Amino acid sequence: MNFHGIIVPIVTPFHSDFSLNVSGLAQLTETLIEQGVSGLVVCGTTGEYYALNEKEREVVLTTVSKVAKGRVTLIAGINDLSTEGAIKRAEQAVSLGYEGLMLAPPPYSLPDQQGVIAHYEQVASATPLPIIMYNFPARIGIEIEYDTVIHLSKVKNIVAIKESSGDFSRALRLLQTQFDNFEVICGCDDQPVDFFFWGAKSWIAGLEMYSQQSKWQFIRPHSKGIGLRRNGSCQKFTLQFIRWNLGIITKKPKRVVSRVLSMLGQLECHFPIFHRNNNVNFSP
């Protein structure tokens, strides 16, 4: 599975009656591919997996697969409250032709680190697909601790961690660790320049749902090992991220992405994230 470059966690569009907008999802998938993304994460946090029933989930996964299969890397989010549920979602991803999985620890139950290890090892042993671990303590309630990452990195089909803690000291420690066949992926939309500077080759980028195609050129050279360009264009790219940081990036990037796309007329969102009659306030 190739997960270098920009991977976008795709949103799930709805009609005004909150039914799935299947044609809108297909068009959004096509647009992202045309913009040059390396891959898509489907039914992740940004895709509101937690608000989808099982039928809707299958429709979303199938729709994106039909458009994108063989063109970009397809990764299915398989988060669930239980390990058994995550395994069933992994099996579904295999049957629909997905190439990889993204998995956080079970939310709400707050497992200790031995429980986290058992969760990942059980899922990994039940699927042939590579797994990207997802460290997002603000949403899950617990962190995948450093020593746990070291332990799980030795599992053959656990290949990376999406680091979304927001703690760059922790991220830097991971980036400077000499892993074997294991990588650290940027999962913070306000830190990609820092991640790339220290050797990361991937960014799972929620805010790239509505960025411009021209930004891809700054990521591709680095994903091939060349590094960030130190010229005026790269400085402009960095300044754009600073503006995002000061302007609209909040602790709720999913809400920001959904609201922006809704304001642009590209989708309707699902309760409880946003309703079109609500007032929109982007104050930090």
Side-chain angles (χ1 to χ4, degrees), residues 10-58:
I10 192 167
V11 298
T12 303
F14 296 87
H15 293 293
S16 58
D17 64 355
F18 303 112
S19 61
L20 282 176
N21 183 348
V22 177
S23 62
L25 177 61
Q27 181 56 56
L28 183 58
T29 302
E30 184 65 43
T31 298
L32 289 168
I33 294 172
E34 290 175 356
Q35 286 181 344
V37 302
S38 299
L40 297 169
V41 176
V42 188
C43 290
T45 306
T46 306
E48 297 180 80
Y49 76 90
Y50 44 79
L52 301 176
N53 60 43
E54 291 306 312
K55 182 178 179 180
E56 289 173 330
R57 176 183 174 85
E58 184 171 0

XYZ file of all heavy atoms in Angstrom, residues 10-58:
373
model
N -12.159 11.821 3.413
C -13.272 12.419 2.676
C -14.504 12.576 3.559
O -14.817 11.716 4.378
C -13.587 11.584 1.414
C -14.530 12.323 0.471
C -14.118 10.201 1.773
C -14.626 11.683 -0.904
N -15.194 13.698 3.392
C -16.442 13.909 4.117
C -17.558 13.085 3.472
O -17.427 12.607 2.347
C -16.849 15.398 4.123
C -15.799 16.249 4.821
C -17.104 15.902 2.716
N -18.655 12.932 4.190
C -19.829 12.237 3.658
C -20.929 13.267 3.411
O -21.475 13.826 4.366
C -20.343 11.177 4.646
O -19.285 10.249 4.939
C -21.519 10.416 4.056
N -21.262 13.542 2.149
C -22.297 14.546 1.865
C -23.707 13.983 2.015
O -23.952 12.807 1.735
C -22.017 14.933 0.405
C -21.367 13.738 -0.187
C -20.613 13.066 0.916
N -24.607 14.858 2.437
C -26.009 14.491 2.603
C -26.894 15.480 1.853
O -26.495 16.609 1.568
C -26.401 14.501 4.087
C -25.672 13.472 4.905
C -24.442 13.752 5.470
C -26.228 12.220 5.128
C -23.766 12.818 6.236
C -25.555 11.272 5.881
C -24.326 11.566 6.437
N -28.117 15.055 1.551
C -29.130 15.959 1.030
C -29.740 16.746 2.193
O -29.486 16.461 3.369
C -30.222 15.171 0.304
C -29.757 14.506 -0.954
N -29.377 15.210 -2.076
C -29.604 13.189 -1.267
C -29.023 14.377 -3.029
N -29.136 13.134 -2.570
N -30.568 17.722 1.865
C -31.189 18.550 2.901
C -32.114 17.748 3.815
O -32.402 18.170 4.937
C -31.955 19.712 2.267
O -32.946 19.232 1.381
N -32.586 16.585 3.347
C -33.411 15.728 4.211
C -32.560 14.734 4.989
O -33.073 13.824 5.625
C -34.467 14.988 3.388
C -33.854 14.003 2.375
O -32.609 13.953 2.247
O -34.636 13.297 1.703
N -31.223 14.889 4.895
C -30.240 14.074 5.621
C -30.113 12.646 5.110
O -29.573 11.780 5.798
C -30.496 14.103 7.132
C -30.485 15.493 7.690
C -31.644 16.064 8.173
C -29.328 16.252 7.689
C -31.651 17.356 8.658
C -29.319 17.543 8.165
C -30.482 18.100 8.656
N -30.589 12.413 3.906
C -30.280 11.156 3.222
C -28.929 11.315 2.519
O -28.490 12.435 2.222
C -31.364 10.813 2.194
O -31.445 11.826 1.192
N -28.262 10.199 2.258
C -26.950 10.254 1.619
C -27.045 10.892 0.229
O -27.940 10.567 -0.560
C -26.372 8.848 1.468
C -25.761 8.185 2.695
C -25.330 6.766 2.343
C -24.574 8.976 3.219
N -26.090 11.758 -0.055
C -25.978 12.339 -1.395
C -24.935 11.520 -2.157
O -23.756 11.853 -2.180
C -25.562 13.808 -1.293
C -25.508 14.497 -2.643
O -25.566 13.858 -3.698
N -25.387 15.814 -2.619
N -25.393 10.443 -2.757
C -24.473 9.491 -3.386
C -23.790 10.114 -4.604
O -22.572 9.961 -4.797
C -25.214 8.198 -3.777
C -24.274 7.233 -4.498
C -25.789 7.527 -2.542
N -24.537 10.823 -5.422
C -23.928 11.455 -6.598
C -22.943 12.534 -6.184
O -21.886 12.707 -6.810
C -25.004 12.050 -7.510
O -25.739 13.067 -6.842
N -23.259 13.256 -5.108
C -22.318 14.262 -4.605
C -21.041 13.635 -4.085
O -19.948 14.176 -4.276
N -21.171 12.482 -3.435
C -19.995 11.770 -2.938
C -19.118 11.296 -4.092
O -17.891 11.419 -4.051
C -20.429 10.585 -2.079
C -19.323 9.684 -1.540
C -18.362 10.466 -0.644
C -19.923 8.502 -0.769
N -19.752 10.774 -5.140
C -18.993 10.318 -6.312
C -18.268 11.485 -6.977
O -17.102 11.370 -7.366
C -19.931 9.634 -7.301
N -18.948 12.631 -7.087
C -18.334 13.796 -7.713
C -17.202 14.340 -6.865
O -16.146 14.741 -7.383
C -19.377 14.887 -7.937
C -18.826 16.137 -8.620
C -18.169 15.822 -9.946
O -18.786 15.230 -10.826
N -16.892 16.191 -10.102
N -17.387 14.362 -5.553
C -16.331 14.827 -4.651
C -15.106 13.929 -4.756
O -13.962 14.402 -4.776
C -16.857 14.852 -3.217
C -15.913 15.381 -2.141
C -15.463 16.803 -2.446
C -16.607 15.316 -0.781
N -15.336 12.627 -4.834
C -14.237 11.678 -5.002
C -13.467 11.961 -6.289
O -12.228 12.015 -6.297
C -14.777 10.235 -5.022
O -15.490 9.977 -3.817
C -13.642 9.229 -5.169
N -14.201 12.155 -7.371
C -13.569 12.454 -8.661
C -12.784 13.754 -8.597
O -11.657 13.842 -9.109
C -14.642 12.543 -9.746
C -14.098 12.747 -11.157
C -13.269 11.570 -11.641
O -13.680 10.419 -11.416
O -12.189 11.814 -12.244
N -13.335 14.761 -7.963
C -12.656 16.055 -7.858
C -11.339 15.933 -7.104
O -10.313 16.477 -7.523
C -13.568 17.070 -7.150
O -14.748 17.272 -7.930
C -12.860 18.409 -6.958
N -11.349 15.212 -6.001
C -10.123 15.044 -5.217
C -9.062 14.289 -6.004
O -7.872 14.608 -5.940
C -10.438 14.328 -3.908
C -11.227 15.159 -2.882
C -11.735 14.274 -1.758
C -10.372 16.293 -2.338
N -9.476 13.268 -6.749
C -8.514 12.526 -7.578
C -7.926 13.442 -8.638
O -6.709 13.441 -8.879
C -9.193 11.301 -8.220
C -9.597 10.299 -7.142
C -8.253 10.633 -9.230
C -10.454 9.157 -7.664
N -8.764 14.254 -9.266
C -8.284 15.187 -10.289
C -7.320 16.211 -9.710
O -6.411 16.686 -10.399
C -9.472 15.894 -10.939
C -10.322 14.980 -11.821
C -11.562 15.674 -12.349
O -11.806 16.854 -11.957
O -12.294 15.054 -13.147
N -7.480 16.550 -8.443
C -6.585 17.502 -7.792
C -5.233 16.887 -7.454
O -4.304 17.593 -7.106
C -7.234 18.050 -6.520
C -8.361 19.045 -6.785
C -8.949 19.588 -5.509
O -8.736 19.030 -4.425
N -9.698 20.664 -5.608
N -5.123 15.561 -7.532
C -3.825 14.925 -7.367
C -3.543 14.298 -6.026
O -2.379 14.092 -5.670
N -4.591 13.980 -5.252
C -4.335 13.351 -3.960
C -3.737 11.955 -4.161
O -3.949 11.317 -5.178
C -5.622 13.252 -3.112
C -6.225 14.626 -2.887
C -6.644 12.323 -3.742
N -2.996 11.502 -3.166
C -2.395 10.163 -3.227
C -3.367 9.079 -2.803
O -3.261 7.933 -3.232
C -1.154 10.091 -2.327
O -0.175 11.015 -2.737
N -4.299 9.447 -1.921
C -5.224 8.449 -1.419
C -6.401 9.081 -0.700
O -6.445 10.305 -0.486
N -7.337 8.240 -0.298
C -8.537 8.680 0.405
C -8.779 7.778 1.607
O -8.622 6.561 1.522
C -9.757 8.624 -0.517
C -9.735 9.529 -1.751
C -10.877 9.149 -2.697
C -9.829 10.994 -1.353
N -9.148 8.396 2.723
C -9.646 7.650 3.875
C -11.156 7.803 3.882
O -11.687 8.916 3.879
C -9.065 8.175 5.198
C -9.684 7.421 6.376
C -7.555 8.029 5.225
N -11.859 6.686 3.884
C -13.315 6.683 3.798
C -13.888 6.158 5.112
O -13.376 5.196 5.684
C -13.789 5.804 2.621
C -15.290 5.954 2.408
C -13.032 6.162 1.348
N -14.941 6.820 5.591
C -15.573 6.463 6.864
C -14.622 6.656 8.042
O -14.579 5.852 8.977
C -16.127 5.037 6.850
S -17.565 4.844 5.776
N -13.860 7.742 7.970
C -13.063 8.156 9.114
C -13.834 9.163 9.943
O -15.044 9.363 9.751
N -13.142 9.824 10.876
C -13.791 10.831 11.704
C -14.404 11.930 10.853
O -15.553 12.347 11.072
C -12.771 11.442 12.685
O -12.145 10.398 13.428
C -13.455 12.400 13.642
N -13.653 12.404 9.859
C -14.145 13.459 8.986
C -15.346 12.997 8.177
O -16.198 13.798 7.796
C -13.024 13.940 8.042
O -11.880 14.313 8.824
C -13.446 15.129 7.210
N -15.432 11.701 7.911
C -16.560 11.147 7.184
C -17.763 10.822 8.048
O -18.751 10.264 7.565
N -17.694 11.193 9.348
C -18.807 10.981 10.285
C -19.240 9.517 10.364
O -20.433 9.198 10.359
C -20.003 11.867 9.908
C -19.726 13.352 9.997
C -20.932 14.183 9.618
O -21.836 14.349 10.467
O -20.977 14.661 8.477
N -18.268 8.623 10.469
C -18.581 7.194 10.539
C -19.527 6.882 11.688
O -20.360 5.973 11.602
C -17.295 6.374 10.689
C -16.701 6.402 12.073
C -17.058 5.453 13.027
C -15.780 7.390 12.447
C -16.528 5.489 14.314
C -15.249 7.436 13.720
C -15.618 6.483 14.651
O -15.101 6.529 15.911
N -19.402 7.635 12.762
C -20.193 7.392 13.972
C -21.668 7.739 13.781
O -22.510 7.343 14.584
C -19.618 8.223 15.128
C -19.274 9.642 14.719
C -20.257 10.618 14.611
C -17.958 9.981 14.396
C -19.949 11.898 14.195
C -17.644 11.255 13.978
C -18.647 12.221 13.885
O -18.326 13.496 13.463
N -21.991 8.513 12.728
C -23.380 8.921 12.480
C -24.042 8.100 11.382
O -25.205 8.330 11.057
C -23.425 10.408 12.113
N -23.303 7.160 10.799
C -23.834 6.363 9.700
C -24.392 5.039 10.219
O -23.758 4.385 11.065
C -22.735 6.056 8.678
C -22.034 7.251 8.020
C -20.915 6.754 7.113
C -23.018 8.109 7.251
N -25.549 4.634 9.682
C -25.989 3.274 9.980
C -25.243 2.303 9.062
O -24.488 2.727 8.177
C -27.514 3.138 9.849
C -28.028 3.458 8.449
O -27.435 3.037 7.448
N -29.145 4.179 8.367
N -25.432 1.014 9.268
C -24.626 0.036 8.532
C -24.902 0.070 7.029
O -23.977 -0.105 6.217
C -24.862 -1.367 9.093
C -24.301 -1.572 10.488
C -22.819 -1.222 10.585
O -22.034 -1.671 9.718
O -22.447 -0.481 11.516
N -26.141 0.310 6.648
C -26.458 0.390 5.226
C -25.790 1.605 4.593
O -25.208 1.519 3.502
C -27.973 0.456 5.019
C -28.383 0.496 3.550
C -29.898 0.503 3.399
C -30.294 0.561 1.918
N -31.782 0.573 1.768
N -25.858 2.746 5.280
C -25.216 3.961 4.770
C -23.708 3.770 4.660
O -23.085 4.196 3.679
C -25.533 5.142 5.682
C -26.966 5.619 5.613
C -27.270 6.669 6.653
O -26.639 6.646 7.742
O -28.158 7.515 6.406
N -23.127 3.128 5.646
C -21.686 2.887 5.623
C -21.284 2.081 4.388
O -20.321 2.422 3.697
C -21.264 2.142 6.896
C -19.790 1.753 6.913
C -19.430 0.952 8.152
N -18.059 0.489 8.037
C -16.992 1.210 8.376
N -17.153 2.428 8.861
N -15.772 0.728 8.233
N -22.023 1.037 4.102
C -21.701 0.215 2.938
C -21.849 1.000 1.645
O -21.029 0.866 0.724
C -22.583 -1.022 2.908
C -22.237 -1.970 1.762
C -22.961 -3.289 1.838
O -23.746 -3.487 2.789
O -22.736 -4.138 0.947
